[in-house]
Amino acid sequence: MKKFLLALCGVAFLWCGGASAAELYAGENALLAEAKKEKGLTSYDTGPTWANWQALFEGFQERYGIEVAYNDLGSGATVVRLDKERNNPQGDSAYYFMPSGEAAHQKAVTEPFKPVNFDKIPDILKDPEGNWFCVHKMTVVFVVNKNLVKEMPKGWNDLLKPAYSKSIVYLDPRTAGIGYAIVLACVYAQGGDLDHPEAGVEYLAKLQECGNVRMIEKTTEFDKFVKGEIPVWITYDANAYRARYIAGLGDAVEIVIPSEGTITSPYAMSLVKGAPNPNTGKLWLNYILSEEGQGLFARGFVRPIIPGFKIPEDVADKFLSDADYTRAKDVDWVKAAEVQTKLASLWGSKVLGED
Amino acid sequence: MLLLPVAIVLIVFLAWPFALVLWESFFVGGQLSLANYLSLFIRRLYRESLFTSFILSVSTAVLGTIIGIPVSYAIYRSRRMKDFFMALTSVPLTFSGLVVGFAFIVLLGTSGFITLLLKRFTGIDPLEFSAFLFTWRGLVVAYLYFLIPRMILTMVVAWSNADWSLVEAASSLGAGRFLILFRVILPMLGPAILSGSSLLFAVSMGAFGTAFALTGTAVKILPMVIYTQVSDMSSDIAQADALAIVLTVATTFVIMIYERSFRRADGARAS
């Protein structure tokens, strides 16, 4: 009913062109009037099941009466596609793992744009011109199935104990962004950094050697975890909360932010250069970074990008405490992307003995 | 004239894509080069994965053949139930590899049905027991699930076409059971066993879905290694093309050698 009324308000507003509810930010109505002259919105790579995008599509449509057309390409493929469509752009906004945002900027397929709250985004998580900026982040955590594991691991070094024989699953860093984030998390947890990654890779090699790694996954990890196949799963917190609250495993799932520390993986967006509907694109990006959009991420258990963002009451107590999250470090993903190939093949040779 | 549609299908869906893949595999950064093939000699991983694929496929082909022959004979002899069994046999062939992989997880995984039964009666540790499923030995078990039916389908036809009067003649001439089996029946069925087992080998070499669902990338078989070249993070399409060509050529080559050596043995016996 409430949704219906809201939709009605929206429709009424469109008809009368009058003032709607309070603006989310200054100039919203003016931008909307411009957007109305355009032909809709195409948002690249925002798959509806990932990061609660579906809720943002619905929120956007409810507020402005504009439907979001999306696709789900994958970060690397999105950059390739923007590059191929350079002379005839089809997308209005693009969404990707942060380093792909910089890659798109290098290829000159992004339009500088500073959405609302741009100033609040930490400098390390945005391009100063606004060619790309992060909209939310995920954190590398341990997800433990209590039915299979008696003793909770507190941190990375605990995972080397014999108690976790054949128990640990994580993704391959050569095939998935999460996998690479996990390698970086180990690098920082072992006191290294992007210039000194050896200790982190060495740690993962030890984990492999002592027989605690059950398998190195590629795609089907979420389903396997829910089926009860994975005792200790190293992955993003959003997956962990999804397993706990949405797949309904509840208290059988324990989420641990490792004591030695971990890292965050930020996801970025850009306005596409020469977008067919630039104003609608801006309206969409503003909405995503507004209080409302950031709150919708939080409702899907995805951490908002704005520091100190107040998480909605009804989900706040479902997240781990902010004190836990202080152990999650933001890293320079632009630089991380530069050493990625080298680091992934170092992992391949050290951990799997592939030369 | 009648061959034209077949020829068109083969060209459009086999020859043309193959030619494209072959063409692309000779380029490195837009330059003509043999580097993608030379890497086979440089990177141990590629050699190892080809070898592992080969071992896996030989074991599954041998096991599938050994199990398939007696089972197919039993089905051939079950007169009234034959159609029912034949229908049942084709079921595993209709599933995608991913589904097969997950079916094995449901049965033999940590929380799998069989695993939990065994735990109750023998007290095994489910984690330790189910770990084998994610190694190449687990793949052998899973592959057999869709390889044995292929063997059965090939063999039931062969049993039906066999000339049983030869067997009667042999036994009336006083040949014993073993002699009949090895000197009459097996040579008679030779071609079917040959084509069945080489089909099994070829299917194993290229199977992807089951391995994709079951094992991680730690199991180094060639289809998985090709996959890591074209995934989201790092893509080296030309290298993947070259590895695909190597996989195709190696498989074809092994099957040709195999069939040829057996044909010759057959021919020698016939003369």
Side-chain angles (χ1 to χ4, degrees):
Chain A
M1 191 67 209
K2 203 163 138 194
K3 267 193 181 171
F4 175 74
L5 279 178
L6 266 171
L8 218 80
C9 288
V11 172
F13 158 66
L14 295 178
W15 273 341
C16 334
S20 73
E23 288 194 330
L24 275 176
Y25 49 90
E28 184 188 14
N29 289 337
L31 188 57
L32 176 60
E34 289 301 312
K36 281 293 171 191
K37 297 174 190 163
E38 294 170 348
K39 291 191 182 55
L41 172 71
T42 307
S43 170
Y44 272 6
D45 202 29
T46 47
T49 55
W50 175 258
N52 215 23
W53 279 112
Q54 186 61 42
L56 279 109
F57 298 157
E58 285 166 12
F60 187 75
Q61 184 163 3
E62 213 162 83
R63 188 164 180 88
Y64 305 118
I66 299 170
E67 195 169 342
V68 182
Y70 59 83
N71 60 22
D72 190 357
L73 299 163
S75 300
T78 302
V79 179
V80 170
R81 183 145 174 187
L82 291 176
D83 193 27
K84 280 195 171 143
E85 292 174 351
R86 164 188 301 280
N87 301 323
N88 180 21
Q90 300 298 309
D92 301 306
S93 71
Y95 163 76
Y96 18 49
F97 196 31
M98 180 180 132
S100 296
E102 178 56 25
H105 175 208
Q106 299 294 346
K107 288 199 189 316
V109 289
T110 57
E111 184 68 45
F113 171 64
K114 294 181 182 176
V116 290
N117 292 328
F118 182 80
D119 303 332
K120 294 184 188 165
I121 302 172
D123 287 347
I124 200 172
L125 302 178
K126 68 189 175 198
D127 169 64
E129 306 301 310
N131 279 293
W132 54 265
F133 39 84
C134 292
V135 297
H136 70 73
K137 58 186 177 182
M138 299 195 179
T139 304
V140 174
V141 298
F142 303 161
V143 195
V144 184
N145 182 336
K146 282 197 218 159
N147 297 329
L148 301 170
V149 178
K150 296 289 158 278
E151 185 192 344
M152 281 303 130
K154 296 270 181 301
W156 297 101
N157 289 336
D158 282 359
L159 295 183
L160 295 167
K161 290 179 181 169
Y164 303 109
S165 168
K166 298 195 176 76
S167 300
I168 297 155
V169 173
Y170 66 98
L171 275 164
D172 191 322
R174 295 161 312 172
T175 58
I178 303 186
Y180 185 50
I182 289 167
V183 173
L184 285 190
C186 292
V187 166
Y188 282 97
Q190 299 297 322
D193 56 38
L194 292 173
D195 300 316
H196 310 90
E198 294 77 9
V201 178
E202 208 56 61
Y203 162 82
L204 284 168
K206 252 193 275 175
L207 199 63
Q208 193 78 21
E209 220 169 294
C210 70
N212 286 5
V213 176
R214 185 169 181 77
M215 60 187 303
I216 291 160
E217 253 293 352
K218 298 175 301 292
T219 48
T220 53
E221 45 164 16
F222 185 82
D223 304 300
K224 279 187 184 154
F225 183 81
V226 172
K227 255 310 286 124
E229 278 316 307
I230 303 180
V232 180
W233 181 28
I234 309 176
T235 184
Y236 284 153
D237 56 348
N239 284 335
Y241 295 124
R242 200 174 127 210
R244 186 168 184 164
Y245 298 113
I246 300 171
L249 296 180
D251 290 341
V253 178
E254 187 72 47
I255 304 167
V256 180
I257 295 189
S259 54
E260 302 93 335
T262 184
I263 62 154
T264 61
S265 288
Y267 283 74
M269 290 188 84
S270 306
L271 187 65
V272 175
K273 191 183 196 129
N277 312 296
N279 291 311
T280 321
K282 288 174 183 171
L283 191 69
W284 171 229
L285 293 169
N286 278 340
Y287 180 75
I288 291 165
L289 279 158
S290 69
E291 293 284 312
E292 188 173 324
Q294 293 283 295
L296 284 172
F297 278 136
R299 273 177 207 288
F301 306 107
V302 177
R303 305 282 294 180
I305 202 72
I306 297 169
F309 182 85
K310 186 126 183 40
I311 299 204
E313 292 284 320
D314 47 334
V315 286
D317 59 345
K318 293 184 174 171
F319 276 98
L320 293 178
S321 70
D322 286 346
D324 273 330
Y325 272 103
T326 52
R327 294 200 295 277
K329 184 177 161 59
D330 292 338
V331 294
D332 182 354
W333 271 101
V334 172
K335 186 172 175 187
E338 287 161 12
V339 295
Q340 180 183 317
T341 317
K342 201 180 79 187
L343 202 46
S345 64
L346 180 72
W347 176 90
S349 70
K350 285 263 192 265
V351 175
L352 300 183
E354 294 183 356
D355 295 315
Chain B
M1 204 55 228
L2 278 175
L3 281 176
L4 194 63
V6 178
I8 289 174
V9 167
L10 280 180
I11 287 169
V12 172
F13 291 105
L14 190 71
W16 175 242
F18 188 84
L20 276 181
V21 169
L22 187 64
W23 175 248
E24 281 186 350
S25 69
F26 287 113
F27 285 90
V28 175
Q31 299 289 317
L32 265 177
S33 144
L34 280 174
N36 291 322
Y37 289 95
L38 294 176
S39 64
L40 275 169
F41 301 97
I42 299 162
R43 289 202 62 182
R44 206 181 60 210
L45 165 66
Y46 299 155
R47 287 198 305 277
E48 270 183 11
S49 61
L50 184 59
F51 183 71
T52 311
S53 276
F54 181 78
I55 296 292
L56 171 71
S57 305
V58 168
S59 2
T60 49
V62 168
L63 284 170
T65 306
I66 290 173
I67 299 168
I69 293 175
V71 175
S72 63
Y73 182 69
I75 291 178
Y76 161 72
R77 293 300 298 263
S78 61
R79 304 211 176 285
R80 230 170 308 152
M81 299 291 282
K82 186 176 159 191
D83 288 345
F84 169 73
F85 281 131
M86 287 296 278
L88 206 62
T89 305
S90 348
V91 170
L93 301 180
T94 59
F95 294 136
S96 99
L98 276 171
V99 175
V100 173
F102 263 97
F104 274 90
I105 291 174
V106 171
L107 286 176
L108 294 167
T110 315
S111 321
F113 175 73
I114 295 176
T115 314
L116 293 180
L117 273 184
L118 284 172
K119 184 188 171 189
R120 165 166 288 192
F121 292 114
T122 61
I124 48 140
D125 177 8
L127 267 183
E128 297 289 331
F129 171 78
S130 59
F132 94 95
L133 195 58
F134 306 113
T135 64
W136 77 271
R137 291 189 300 280
L139 280 189
V140 172
V141 175
Y143 279 17
L144 285 176
Y145 172 79
F146 55 79
L147 290 178
I148 292 172
R150 280 190 167 81
M151 192 69 200
I152 292 173
L153 293 179
T154 314
M155 290 304 298
V156 166
V157 176
W159 290 115
S160 315
N161 296 340
D163 184 354
W164 293 99
S165 61
L166 290 177
V167 177
E168 282 164 25
S171 74
S172 71
L173 290 170
R177 277 191 170 186
F178 278 97
L179 201 61
I180 290 177
L181 181 65
F182 285 102
R183 296 300 299 274
V184 182
I185 296 182
L186 285 181
M188 188 162 66
L189 296 169
I193 296 175
L194 198 67
S195 64
S197 52
S198 52
L199 176 73
L200 262 46
F201 174 83
V203 169
S204 289
M205 279 299 272
F208 177 79
T210 306
F212 191 71
L214 270 184
T215 58
T217 35
V219 176
K220 300 166 200 162
I221 53 174
L222 207 45
M224 286 294 126
V225 173
I226 293 172
Y227 167 80
T228 56
Q229 304 286 348
V230 290
S231 58
D232 196 29
M233 297 295 282
S234 52
S235 60
D236 186 348
I237 303 285
Q239 183 65 65
D241 284 334
L243 290 173
I245 296 284
V246 167
L247 179 63
T248 313
V249 170
T251 309
T252 316
F253 186 69
V254 168
I255 289 174
M256 275 169 63
I257 299 257
Y258 171 75
E259 297 208 340
R260 193 162 278 202
S261 60
F262 271 85
R263 286 269 149 72
R264 199 167 299 142
D266 264 12
R269 206 176 294 134
S271 55

